[in-house]
């Protein structure tokens, strides 16, 4: 077991140590503030203090993990060779405070500080340290921890690390189940007047499949490659500018949800109109549970409309245990600088919560609408993010939408690209 000395065992330190040693490095550890027992301990040990102890390695702590409240931090990124880090310390066995630096990124500390919102009122990715310092495309915390593991093993060769397994789970957001079907006469007339289409008429008269209907294709694909996907359904009870779903009272929509609930794990896609409205989130959760006839405890925010800490507090209050919103809907990359799931730390309350955060780093819509990548560039991005998550034994949870795998000419080639990707990795 690894024993870690600290003069003060704070909630922040407890949180990040659990993530580092239990969740990622998977080795047993214990925190202590007992100097005498720490000195007597003959096993592997880390001195996380300014005190001097013999027969140990020392990490000089930054003040962050011993502070309360939220205030601007001095963050100076340093490049040494191929290594990038911040919270540099002098006179220790390690060049920077890996505990504090990991906590800063994982807790999303910077998102609680004054920042610019994007056009949708979300935290703009341009504010982030990862974007500014050009490490958004890598899971920097995981890379740090791989290096830290090697460092610990060099000093403590008897320290046992349980190998961590990589996992891949495709996820799908069902924002608009069908392009033309089940939208009613008025919506279809309005859509036809804005953009006349013979395909709309053929679809409505049953002569052609709906362009967004990719459900049979996806089901066959999951069976062929033995995948266990997740589906997130938008069930807003009223349509709006950003909530354009087929309403949950629609019988076809209910059948679609029931069919997927019987085959796969499904979750709620809380609507735009539910943002910061706990009662609407609860109502949508109840609606989906009633249709699916099962408990729903996983979610991903529609449009990734995520505001800390309000969104996560509300999800906890209505009974969600896992959330898949930690990523950007404006650019691909690692929003929390990790490819590993983690529990949310409620920074204003200084509290470790039970809400599990499962981050994503790739979304089809980011490639197509935001970064405006070609099909080949999107394919390379998908494979690239898969490979880097696998390299750090992380979790790869790409976000897809049903319309990308249908017959809409706008997304031509995505279906074939997806099959090619799966053929290469499985």
């Amino acid at each position: 077991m690894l024993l870690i000395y600290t003069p003060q065992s704070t909630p922040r330190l407890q949180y990040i140590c659990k993530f580092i040693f239990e969740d990622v490095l998977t080795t047993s550890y214990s925190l202590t503030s007992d100097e005498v027992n720490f000195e007597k301990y003959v096993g592997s040990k880390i001195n996380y203090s300014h005190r001097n102890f013999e027969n140990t390695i020392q990490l000089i702590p930054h003040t962050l993990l011993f502070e309360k409240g939220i205030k601007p931090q001095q963050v100076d990124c340093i490049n040494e060779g191929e290594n990038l880090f911040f919270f540099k310390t002098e006179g220790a066995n390690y060049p920077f405070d890996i505990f504090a630096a990991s906590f800063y990124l994982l807790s999303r500390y910077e998102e609680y500080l004054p920042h610019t919102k994007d056009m949708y009122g979300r935290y703009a990715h341009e504010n982030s340290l990862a974007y500014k310092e050009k490490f958004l495309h890598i899971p920097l915390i995981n890379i740090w921890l791989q290096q830290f593991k090697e460092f610990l093993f060099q000093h403590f060769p008897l320290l046992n690390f349980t190998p961590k397994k990589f996992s891949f789970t495709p996820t799908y957001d069902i924002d608009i189940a069908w392009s033309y079907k089940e939208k009613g006469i008025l919506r279809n007339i309005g859509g036809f007047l804005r953009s006349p289409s013979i395909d709309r008429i053929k679809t409505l008269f049953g002569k052609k499949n709906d362009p967004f209907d990719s459900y049979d294709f996806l089901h066959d694909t999951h069976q062929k490659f033995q995948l266990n996907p997740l589906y997130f359904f938008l069930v807003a009870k009223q349509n709006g500018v950003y909530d354009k779903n087929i309403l949950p009272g629609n019988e076809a929509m209910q059948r679609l949800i029931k069919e997927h609930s019987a085959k796969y794990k499904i979750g709620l896609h809380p609507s735009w109109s539910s943002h910061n409205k706990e009662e609407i989130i609860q109502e949508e959760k109840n609606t989906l549970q009633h249709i699916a006839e099962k408990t729903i405890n996983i979610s991903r925010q529609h449009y990734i409309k995520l505001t800390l800490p309000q969104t996560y507090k509300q999800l906890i209050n209505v009974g969600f245990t896992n959330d898949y919103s930690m990523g950007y809907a404006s650019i691909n990359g690692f929003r929390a600088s990790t490819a590993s799931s983690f529990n949310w730390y409620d920074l204003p309350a200084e509290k470790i919560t039970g809400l599990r955060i499962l981050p994503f780093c790739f979304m089809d819509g980011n490639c197509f609408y935001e970064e405006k990548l070609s099909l080949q560039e999107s394919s390379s991005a998908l494979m690239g993010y898969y490979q880097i998550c696998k390299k750090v034994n992380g979790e790869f949870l790409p976000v897809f939408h049903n319309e990308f795998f249908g017959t809409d000419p706008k997304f031509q080639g995505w279906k074939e690209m997806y099959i090619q990707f799966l053929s290469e990795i499985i």
Side-chain angles (χ1 to χ4, degrees):
M1 184 188 75
L2 180 66
L3 187 63
I4 304 169
Y5 172 78
T6 174
Q8 184 183 2
S9 182
T10 66
R12 293 183 180 188
L13 180 58
Q14 294 166 17
Y15 169 77
I16 202 60
C17 283
K18 180 185 181 300
F19 172 75
I20 290 173
F21 297 108
E22 186 175 313
D23 293 354
V24 179
L25 298 186
T26 56
T27 189
S28 60
Y29 76 99
S30 181
L31 286 167
T32 183
S33 297
D34 188 323
E35 299 174 9
V36 175
N37 285 336
F38 182 73
E39 285 188 301
K40 290 181 179 178
Y41 186 67
V42 295
S44 309
K45 53 188 181 179
I46 294 175
N47 169 22
Y48 188 60
S49 78
H50 293 274
R51 281 208 51 180
N52 291 319
F53 292 97
E54 294 183 354
N55 303 317
T56 182
I57 60 174
Q58 184 178 26
L59 299 183
I60 299 293
H62 186 275
T63 60
L64 181 64
L65 300 185
F66 302 99
E67 297 174 353
K68 289 184 179 180
I70 304 163
K71 63 181 182 180
Q73 300 289 331
Q74 183 69 34
V75 180
D76 298 316
C77 285
I78 297 168
N79 282 281
E80 290 187 357
E82 296 182 355
N83 298 319
L84 181 148
F85 57 86
F86 55 93
F87 293 162
K88 181 178 176 64
T89 56
E90 301 290 347
N93 298 107
Y94 212 68
F96 71 107
D97 185 347
I98 191 172
F99 295 172
S102 297
F103 178 84
Y104 182 83
L105 295 172
L106 198 69
S107 69
R108 304 309 303 128
Y109 195 100
E110 61 190 359
E111 295 195 32
Y112 294 88
L113 299 171
H115 58 264
T116 303
K117 303 287 188 181
D118 70 6
M119 63 181 292
Y120 299 105
R122 304 171 302 197
Y123 178 82
H125 70 262
E126 292 90 349
N127 297 308
S128 71
L129 182 70
Y131 179 79
K132 293 175 181 176
E133 296 293 337
K134 297 181 174 53
F135 62 84
L136 181 61
H137 62 291
I138 60 173
L140 185 60
I141 296 175
N142 295 84
I143 294 171
W144 282 346
L145 295 183
Q146 282 186 332
Q147 296 169 345
F148 191 57
K149 177 181 177 180
E150 294 174 4
F151 171 79
L152 290 175
F153 191 73
Q154 289 173 1
H155 286 79
F156 309 120
L158 298 180
L159 193 59
N160 183 49
F161 297 98
T162 304
K164 191 79 173 177
K165 290 185 177 180
F166 164 75
S167 66
F168 162 57
T169 304
T171 74
Y172 305 93
D173 289 350
I174 311 303
D175 303 337
I176 307 174
W178 297 286
S179 180
Y180 305 138
K181 286 173 53 180
E182 308 302 332
K183 288 188 173 181
I185 295 175
L186 292 179
R187 287 182 72 182
N188 269 299
I189 290 175
F192 185 82
L193 292 176
R194 287 191 301 272
S195 179
S197 169
I198 191 67
D199 286 341
R200 183 188 294 267
I201 296 173
K202 287 182 178 180
T203 299
L204 294 176
F205 281 92
K207 301 297 183 181
K208 191 171 185 177
N209 287 335
D210 189 275
F212 287 7
D213 189 345
S214 59
Y215 306 108
D216 288 343
F217 162 75
L218 290 174
H219 177 59
D220 292 344
T221 299
H222 300 147
Q223 286 194 315
K224 178 180 178 180
F225 294 101
Q226 298 183 319
L227 298 171
N228 294 305
L230 301 177
Y231 281 83
F232 295 90
F233 286 93
L234 179 63
V235 292
K237 289 195 172 182
Q238 290 185 334
N239 290 137
V241 176
Y242 301 114
D243 296 326
K244 298 181 179 180
N245 55 295
I246 307 299
L247 298 181
N250 180 281
E251 291 185 4
M253 188 67 198
Q254 292 185 5
R255 284 196 302 272
L256 184 71
I257 291 172
K258 288 178 183 292
E259 289 169 2
H260 282 77
S261 177
K263 297 173 185 175
Y264 311 113
K265 189 169 185 177
I266 70 169
L268 181 67
H269 205 34
S271 66
W272 178 277
S273 62
S274 75
H275 182 64
N276 285 340
K277 296 182 178 66
E278 188 174 311
E279 67 281 3
I280 297 181
I281 301 175
Q282 182 70 72
E283 183 181 32
E284 292 178 359
K285 182 174 185 284
N286 292 343
T287 296
L288 187 58
Q289 288 182 152
H290 177 74
I291 297 171
E293 298 180 339
K294 63 170 58 172
T295 300
I296 303 297
N297 56 21
I298 68 173
S299 66
R300 176 157 57 226
Q301 295 296 116
H302 185 36
Y303 270 80
I304 314 299
K305 184 73 167 170
L306 172 64
T307 302
L308 297 176
Q310 295 92 333
T311 302
Y312 283 159
K313 281 189 172 183
Q314 290 166 352
L315 293 178
I316 291 172
N317 290 342
V318 300
F320 287 101
T321 59
N322 299 325
D323 184 72
Y324 292 74
S325 309
M326 185 52 69
Y328 292 114
S330 50
I331 192 171
N332 284 327
F334 297 88
R335 182 169 178 169
S337 298
T338 184
S340 301
S341 61
F342 56 96
N343 283 66
W344 175 55
Y345 187 85
D346 185 344
L347 197 56
E350 297 293 356
K351 179 182 176 182
I352 304 169
T353 75
L355 181 65
R356 195 71 177 171
I357 307 304
L358 297 100
F360 71 89
C361 59
F362 176 92
M363 183 189 291
D364 52 11
N366 283 340
C367 292
F368 191 86
Y369 295 110
E370 303 297 332
E371 301 181 63
K372 302 191 184 306
L373 303 181
S374 67
L375 182 64
Q376 182 57 51
E377 289 169 333
S378 299
S379 176
S380 297
L382 176 60
M383 180 60 77
Y385 282 112
Y386 169 87
Q387 290 174 336
I388 195 165
C389 288
K390 186 175 183 179
K391 186 176 181 180
V392 298
N393 296 320
E395 300 161 63
F396 185 51
L397 298 156
V399 181
F400 301 109
H401 295 80
N402 52 294
E403 60 264 34
F404 276 72
F405 304 117
T407 57
D408 190 324
K410 184 165 58 175
F411 306 114
Q412 185 175 0
W414 272 85
K415 182 187 298 187
E416 293 77 14
M417 181 268 277
Y418 190 39
I419 292 294
Q420 181 62 35
F421 165 73
L422 294 174
S423 299
E424 291 180 15
I425 67 169
I426 297 174

